[in-house]
Amino acid sequence: IVMLKNDGVLPYKAGSEVAVFGRVQIDYFATGYGSGGDVRKPYVVNLIDGLKNSNELKVNEYLENIYREWVKNNPVDHGFWAHWPRSHPEMKLTDEIVESAAKSASEAIVVLGRSAGEDRENALEAGSYYITDDELNMLRAISKSFDSITLLLNIGSVMDLSFIDEFSDKIKAILIVWQGGMESGNAIADVLTGKVSPSGHLADTIVKDYKDYPCANDFGRKDYCNYVEDIYVGYRYFETFKKDRVLYPFGYGLTYTKFDLSLNKVKMDNKLFAFSINVKNIGNFKAKEVVQIYLQKPNTPIDNPYRQLVGFIKSEDLNPSDEVTLEVKVPMNELKV
C-alpha cells in the first residue's frame, strides 16, 4: 500500500465512525481480470467487511445498507475472456444520502476501483485511466457535507489523478491500495487504524497530464514501436527534463512515522560499492523504511539521465527509537559511461 497524502487524518482514532462511499467497497477488485484474476478464490474480504472485522471503527450502517441494496439490484457484468469491464458502474449519489450519513459520521472513505487485468490494463477513457462523471459527482456531493475525505484507489496500474486538485482542501488522505488479494479488506483496515503503517513506494511516475509521458503519442501502436524516449525511460525522463510535470514521483511513499537516515561508511573494490546506512525511527509509529540510492554522472561524454536508481533496500519493522544499519551494494559497472 502506497500512501500519497496524509494531512494528519490517518490513522483513524479508535471508535471513529466512517461513512464508506463507492460500490467497490462491496464489489472489490481483489485481483485484476485475466489468467490470474480468473483463478477461483475460496473467499475475498472486501473493504466494508474488512473495516467491520477490525472492531476499531464504527461503519455507518445507514449508508452501508443503501449500497448493499443497490449492488444487489445492480449486479456486476463480468464480461468474458478479453472483454472484461475496466470498472463497474457507480451508484448515483444524492445530497440527501450524503447529508444523512454525515449526521453521525465525521470521516468519509471513498473508494475508486479499476480492473486493470490482462488485456484490460488501461484505455484513455472514463472508467479506465480517467475518472467517470458519476465518480466525479460522487466526490462533489461528499465534499459538500464532509470536511475530511480519505481516498482509496483500488487499482492495478496508475490512473489520472488530476481531478484531486478540485478537492485538495477536502481530500485529507490518499492511498493506492492496489489489488491486494483475498485479504484485501482486512489489510486496508489494519493500515487505516494504524495497526500497520503503510510502507510502499511508487514504481511509476504519476504525472499531471497523460500527454506529459514522452511515449504518449507512440505507445500501443500496432504498426511499429517508436521508442522516442530513448534512454530516458520512465522516471529518468522526468528527473532529467520535466520535474515540474510530476504529481507523485517514482520512489515516493509516506508512512505514519519519521526516519533519520545517515551514511555510515562506503566500501569499494573492483566490482562494487557497499553503502552502509544507519536508519533510525524518530517518530511514534512502528514502520518500515526504504533506502534508495540514486546515481548522477556529471561531465560524461555521452548523454545520461540526470539521476537513476542503482540500489535499494527495505528494512524490517522498526519500533519508535529503534535503529538499524542497512547495506546497499551497487555494482561498479553502474558507473560506466
Side-chain angles (χ1 to χ4, degrees), residues 58-286:
K58 182 180 179 183
V59 172
N60 185 273
E61 293 184 355
Y62 160 79
L63 186 60
E64 177 192 356
N65 291 334
I66 288 177
Y67 270 101
R68 288 194 185 277
E69 184 66 20
W70 187 85
V71 165
K72 178 182 176 181
N73 294 328
N74 297 270
V76 168
D77 178 3
H78 291 283
F80 57 96
W81 186 263
H83 293 80
W84 305 286
R86 290 189 166 92
S87 61
H88 301 324
E90 188 56 69
M91 182 181 81
K92 288 182 170 61
L93 203 58
T94 66
D95 289 341
E96 180 183 2
I97 291 175
V98 180
E99 290 167 2
S100 296
K103 289 179 181 178
S104 58
S106 59
E107 303 289 346
I109 296 175
V110 179
V111 57
L112 302 181
R114 297 291 186 268
S115 64
E118 181 182 358
D119 196 50
R120 310 299 287 168
E121 194 66 34
N122 256 329
L124 292 177
E125 58 188 42
S128 186
Y129 185 72
Y130 294 109
I131 194 171
T132 67
D133 287 342
D134 284 343
E135 291 169 336
L136 196 58
N137 289 333
M138 174 176 65
L139 280 167
R140 286 169 177 161
I142 296 166
S143 65
K144 293 177 184 178
S145 298
F146 285 89
D147 291 325
S148 177
I149 298 172
T150 295
L151 178 63
L152 304 181
L153 300 170
N154 171 210
I155 56 181
S157 58
V158 298
M159 62 180 289
D160 176 67
L161 297 183
S162 60
F163 67 88
I164 291 173
D165 187 58
E166 180 180 340
F167 311 98
S168 59
D169 60 330
K170 295 296 182 75
I171 296 179
K172 305 296 186 182
I174 305 170
L175 295 94
I176 303 181
V177 296
W178 305 112
Q179 297 164 341
M182 298 186 303
E183 289 284 337
S184 290
N186 289 334
I188 296 168
D190 283 348
V191 168
L192 295 181
T193 58
K195 184 177 180 180
V196 176
S197 180
S199 62
H201 290 251
L202 282 179
D204 294 285
T205 303
I206 300 177
V207 296
K208 296 180 179 180
D209 188 289
Y210 177 76
K211 294 179 181 178
D212 292 324
Y213 291 114
C215 59
N217 294 326
D218 293 274
F219 179 77
R221 293 179 60 155
K222 295 186 177 181
D223 48 356
Y224 67 94
C225 291
N226 184 20
Y227 294 97
V228 294
E229 64 269 49
D230 194 40
I231 62 171
Y232 301 100
V233 177
Y235 73 93
R236 301 167 186 82
Y237 171 81
F238 295 99
E239 285 287 336
T240 308
F241 302 113
K242 294 252 181 113
K243 284 186 177 181
D244 62 323
R245 299 304 300 168
V246 175
L247 279 178
Y248 299 103
F250 173 90
Y252 181 79
L254 305 174
T255 70
Y256 291 147
T257 193
K258 294 181 180 179
F259 291 97
D260 179 65
L261 277 64
S262 60
L263 183 63
N264 185 18
K265 57 184 176 181
V266 181
K267 295 179 182 179
M268 182 179 67
D269 59 29
N270 292 329
K271 293 184 178 180
L272 57 82
F273 284 95
F275 294 90
S276 177
I277 298 105
N278 292 332
V279 179
K280 184 175 183 179
N281 185 343
I282 58 174
N284 300 317
F285 289 87
K286 180 170 71 173

